[in-house]
Every structure is written in structure tokens, then in C-alpha cells.
């Protein structure tokens, strides 16, 4: 299990700071924003800063007003053969898979094969628990079921590198109790989309790969996008790497039937931009289905997409943003859309980058004529660095309970803190829950992520705010619940 999850605690989750970019304060102007330099050159120069800092290795596609302004690969797709990344390099896209699974479900709804208010038991009558059989497809799509995260269950360790059927994957979590009343909360859990994949196969009588190809890939003209476990060998596929104390090394193995419908698709920046363009029309999904795809249900999560309004830089008006990101052993991904401005950013990385949220932030600012901050490679503050290597501290459950609540960094990004078995767990909007270790009575390190949370009290001695410490930054989130 430990080897499987390194360097991230979840295979297809999103990075903690992923939604902060669009609301960040105005940044220092860099040389890349000189008005005499073309936008394409500004963008290229900015990505190169990340590449040179060791924070990005992959392919990029940026479009503004429906026009591609950057389409390029950076670094190597395969270090053993010195093969460079290009716009046609194929990457594992992790949780970007979810938007395709959601689109598949909506296609089948249009065809009368599924219903959004249909229940799991309608399609999988042998599902072992009554509570599970009562879950609706709408709840699965929006992560409001209460299903536990199958990636965090002990059974996963034994099967992570071997082929799995959908039934075997569902069996990992099917008998587990729900974590809350369905529909009452949002909790990002890959189990929801594993179950959706199993239902798709059941009602069509075909494999997920076949259904994806006939219902989505071919109609959308996605010639380089496929469900990876059944994809033929392709020299264009990038190898995945992870950072170690001795430099980059091949990422821990995983059989891609394990992420299945939650995270097993491979694609290119070229195809993902084409997918963005397809979603501006109705060739694949009707207007009604697209409204469902992009309508938030809880905590800005729609169906396989985060959807929210945000300001970009110093711009006075908010814009509607649609985005998602993902990670799977050795790979990280980001797809961002600003539909009203016909803007799109696709970032695919093959060295487990944790900087894609920051890179996406800078690129968004540049295409919206705002200054962009260069990448930060500064070390964590001394106190945080020391705390992250210290042995965990035992904290009384009564103290931990005072931290339980919801903290808001901005309207689009909340951090929920829970307590179980004398441990705190942290969950950011649209993301998987992360366990923590106590470095002190108020400071907690997130397992597997270079970040910490610290709690602060008001003049009455009540816990009133959370501080997020990540990437050398300290951001305050007031307690709202």
C-alpha cells in the first residue's frame, strides 16, 4: 500500500491548492509580461521557468478566444530513450477520466438506458447492502453518496498491480458502511466512479473501453484518447516518474484496471483541447445534458467537474470556471475552461508535479493580461520543515474535537476537518480526505503532501481559524461551521 500511494496518498485526487489560483492576489510582474513580447512567447517563457525549476515536465496547450496560443512539449517523455514530450505525447490523465465517465452516463440517459434518479439496485440488483442499492446515479456523479474511498481501504494493497474486474473493485467497498446520509454532504471518493463504471458495463453488456470508444471518443474525434488497460502498445506514451532524494525514478507500478472508470484514461493535450471544443457544441451531449454536466451540486462539484466563479488577478468581474485535475502514479493533469472567453488550459505532466495549480494560475493570469508570479522554489519555513520531520505528538481527543469544523479560504474552497480514532482528517473542496499527524497541539502535517494546517483561537479562546501552510505560503481560513 505504501509503495502504491507514494508520493501522493491517493491515486487520482486533486492537489490541495488546486482551486486557489483564480482568486490569488495580484502578483509581481515578471520579465515574461513585457508588452513587447507576444502572448505566445510570454506563455512559453513562463512554462520554461517551471521546467528549469524542476517543477514541470510534460505538454501544454493554451487557447484564448478560441485560438491556440501555446502548443508544446517540455522535457522528456521517456528518459531511457531520451524521447521528448510533444503535443502528441500520450499521458495518463488520472481523475480527468471522471468527466468522460460522467459524459458516458449522460449519453446513456439520453438513450433511455439509464436514469439519473435510478438507483444502484436497479442496475446491480446483487449489490450487497440495502443502503448501497438505494444510492442514485446523481449522487454517484456528484460524490454525495457517503461511499468510503476504496483507495484508502486495506484490501487495495494486495491487488494494486494485478488486473481487476469491475466486480472485484466494487467488492472492496460494497460492504463498508456509508460515511453520511446520501445527499447530505459532498465527499470526493473514487468509489463513486468505480461503481458508475460497473453500471455502464452492466446496462450496455459491453466493456467500459468499448462504450467509451463508441459513445465518446469516435463522435468527439478523440483519436489519441483511450481506456488504457486495453490500449495497444504505443511509442507515443510517456513513462511516469516520481521525485526521490536521489532524483527522478520510475513511478511505483499500478495496473490501470484498478483506477478503472475513475482514473484510467490516457490522452494528449491536443485531444483534450479538442474535447474542450466539443463541449461548446452538441455533437456529443445535448444542451440539457451539458447543463447537468456543469451544474454544481454541493461544494462547487458538478458531474466530474469543479464549477465556480472567480476573479482572475485584479480583474473586477468574476468569470465562470470549469476545471478538474488528477494524479496517478507518475502523472499529474489539469484541464481548465473559461467558456465565456473561449479560454482553455491543458497541462499534462509525467513526473508527479505538485506545481500544476500554480502553473495554471500564472497561465490564466497571462492570457487575461495580468502579471504572473514566477515559480517559488524556496524551502518551507524552518518551523514547518522541522515539524514535518518530527515524531507525531499524541493529542487528547477532547482537544482534537475543538478543531472539527469547516474553514473557508474563499467561497470556492473550503477545508473540512473531522476527527476519528484520535486523529484529525482534512478534506478540501472536491478532494479526497487526507490523514494528519500532530506536530504540536495546534500544528498538523498532512500525510503524503508537503503541507500543514495550524489552528488559531480568538480572544475568547475558541478555535476560530485554520492556517494552510504550503509552498512557503501561509493562508488564513476563518471557521464558518
Amino acid at each position: 500500500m505504501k509503495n502504491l500511494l507514494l508520493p501522493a496518498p491517493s491515486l487520482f485526487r486533486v492537489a490541495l491548492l488546486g482551486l486557489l489560483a483564480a482568486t490569488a492576489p495580484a502578483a509581481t510582474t515578471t520579465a515574461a509580461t513585457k508588452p513587447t513580447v507576444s502572448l505566445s512567447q510570454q506563455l512559453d517563457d513562463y512554462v520554461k521557468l517551471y521546467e528549469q525549476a524542476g517543477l514541470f515536465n510534460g505538454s501544454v496547450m493554451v487557447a484564448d478566444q478560441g485560438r491556440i496560443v501555446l502548443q508544446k512539449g517540455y522535457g522528456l517523455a521517456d528518459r531511457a530513450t531520451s524521447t521528448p514530450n510533444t503535443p502528441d505525447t500520450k499521458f495518463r490523465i488520472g481523475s480527468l477520466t471522471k468527466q468522460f465517465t460522467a459524459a458516458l452516463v449522460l449519453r446513456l440517459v439520453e438513450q433511455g438506458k439509464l436514469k439519473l434518479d435510478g438507483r444502484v439496485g436497479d442496475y446491480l440488483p446483487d449489490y450487497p447492502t440495502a443502503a448501497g442499492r438505494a444510492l442514485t446515479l446523481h449522487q454517484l456523479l456528484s460524490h454525495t453518496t457517503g461511499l468510503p474511498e476504496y483507495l484508502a481501504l486495506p484490501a487495495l494493497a494486495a491487488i494494486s498491480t494485478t488486473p481487476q474486474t469491475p466486480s472485484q473493485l466494487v467488492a472492496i467497498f460494497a460492504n463498508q458502511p456509508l460515511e453520511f446520509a446520501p445527499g447530505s454532504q459532498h465527499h470526493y471518493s473514487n468509489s463513486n466512479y468505480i461503481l458508475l463504471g460497473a453500471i455502464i458495463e452492466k446496462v450496455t453488456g459491453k466493456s467500459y473501453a468499448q462504450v467509451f470508444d463508441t459513445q465518446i471518443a469516435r463522435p468527439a474525434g478523440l483519436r489519441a484518447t483511450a481506456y488504457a488497460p486495453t490500449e495497444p502498445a504505443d511509442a507515443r506514451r510517456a513513462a511516469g516518474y516520481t521525485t526521490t532524494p536521489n532524483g527522478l525514478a520510475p513511478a511505483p507500478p499500478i495496473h490501470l484496471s484498478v483506477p478503472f472508470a475513475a482514473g484510467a484514461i490516457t490522452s494528449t493535450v491536443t485531444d483534450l483541447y479538442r474535447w474542450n471544443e466539443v463541449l461548446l457544441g452538441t455533437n456529443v451531449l445535448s444542451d440539457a445534458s451539458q447543463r447537468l454536466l456543469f451544474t454544481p451540486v454541493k461544494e462547487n462539484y458538478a458531474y466530474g467537474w469543479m464549477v465556480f466563479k472567480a476573479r482572475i488577478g485584479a480583474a473586477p468581474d468574476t468569470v465562470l470556471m470549469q476545471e478538474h485535475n488528477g494524479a496517478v502514479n507518475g502523472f499529474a493533469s489539469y484541464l481548465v475552461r473559461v467558456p465565456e472567453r473561449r479560454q482553455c488550459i491543458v497541462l499534462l505532466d509525467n513526473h508527479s508535479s505538485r506545481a500544476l495549480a500554480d502553473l495554471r494560475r500564472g497561465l490564466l493570469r497571462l492570457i487575461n493580461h495580468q502579471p504572473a508570479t514566477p515559480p517559488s522554489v524556496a524551502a518551507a519555513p524552518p518551523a514547518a520543515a522541522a515539524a514535518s520531520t518530527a515524531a507525531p505528538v499524541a493529542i487528547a481527543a477532547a482537544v482534537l474535537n475543538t478543531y472539527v469544523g469547516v474553514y473557508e479560504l474563499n467561497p470556492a474552497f473550503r477545508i473540512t476537518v473531522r476527527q476519528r480514532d484520535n486523529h484529525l482528517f482534512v478534506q478540501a473542496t472536491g478532494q479526497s480526505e487526507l490523514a494528519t499527524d500532530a506536530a504540536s497541539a495546534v500544528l498538523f502535517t498532512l500525510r503524503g503532501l508537503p503541507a500543514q494546517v495550524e489552528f488559531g483561537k480568538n480572544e475568547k479562546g475558541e478555535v476560530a481559524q485554520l492556517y494552510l501552510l504550503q509552498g512557503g505560503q501561509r493562508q488564513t481560513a476563518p471557521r464558518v461551521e
Side-chain angles (χ1 to χ4, degrees), residues 223-266:
R223 294 180 289 274
T225 304
Y227 176 62
T230 59
E231 185 183 18
D234 191 330
R236 293 176 297 167
R237 282 207 298 259
Y241 299 91
T242 188
T243 302
T244 74
N246 298 318
L248 290 179
I254 178 176
H255 195 280
L256 285 185
S257 62
V258 174
F260 185 42
I265 283 178
T266 59

Side-chain angles (χ1 to χ4, degrees), residues 360-374:
R360 157 259 198 212
R361 176 191 321 181
L363 295 174
L364 267 174
R365 291 175 66 89
L366 289 172
I367 60 177
N368 286 281
H369 313 293
Q370 298 288 329
T373 303

Side-chain angles (χ1 to χ4, degrees), residues 159-406:
I159 58 94
S160 62
T161 59
T162 57
Q164 299 297 310
T165 66
S167 296
Q168 289 172 315
L169 295 173
V170 170
I172 295 174
F173 59 84
N175 285 298
Q176 299 291 321
L178 300 180
E179 295 181 341
F180 51 81
S184 66
Q185 299 180 42
H186 171 274
H187 183 173
Y188 188 93
S189 171
N190 288 284
S191 302
N192 292 300
Y193 278 72
I194 297 299
L195 196 47
L196 285 169
I199 290 170
I200 288 169
E201 292 202 348
K202 182 71 172 181
V203 300
T204 62
K206 299 177 181 178
S207 70
Y208 178 93
Q210 291 174 304
V211 182
F212 171 75
D213 186 57
T214 58
Q215 295 276 3
I216 302 292
R218 291 184 189 178
L222 307 180
R223 294 180 289 274
T225 304
Y227 176 62
T230 59
E231 185 183 18
D234 191 330
R236 293 176 297 167
R237 282 207 298 259
Y241 299 91
T242 188
T243 302
T244 74
N246 298 318
L248 290 179
I254 178 176
H255 195 280
L256 285 185
S257 62
V258 174
F260 185 42
I265 283 178
T266 59
S267 190
T268 67
V269 294
T270 304
D271 258 16
L272 289 175
Y273 177 67
R274 184 175 290 117
W275 172 239
N276 159 76
E277 292 293 286
V278 165
L279 291 175
L280 295 170
T282 56
N283 287 342
V284 174
L285 291 178
S286 67
D287 284 333
S289 290
Q290 288 202 44
R291 283 194 294 273
L292 290 167
L293 188 71
F294 291 119
T295 299
V297 178
K298 283 187 181 295
E299 296 192 25
N300 299 305
Y301 203 93
Y303 288 176
W305 288 89
M306 293 293 298
V307 180
F308 55 95
K309 286 191 173 183
R311 288 184 177 87
I312 299 176
D317 300 322
T318 59
V319 293
L320 180 69
M321 299 187 63
Q322 301 163 343
E323 64 176 39
H324 210 289
N325 63 345
V328 62
N329 300 31
F331 295 85
S333 58
Y334 231 117
L335 175 55
V336 183
R337 306 178 78 230
V338 185
E340 65 190 74
R341 299 182 183 179
R342 291 288 302 274
Q343 294 173 339
C344 179
I345 296 174
V346 186
L347 302 173
L348 300 180
D349 177 277
N350 65 315
H351 85 313
S352 305
S353 175
R354 296 189 183 279
L356 293 195
D358 291 335
L359 176 54
R360 157 259 198 212
R361 176 191 321 181
L363 295 174
L364 267 174
R365 291 175 66 89
L366 289 172
I367 60 177
N368 286 281
H369 313 293
Q370 298 288 329
T373 303
S376 172
V377 294
S388 67
T389 58
V393 176
I395 307 295
V399 175
L400 296 178
N401 282 334
T402 65
Y403 302 142
V404 172
V406 179

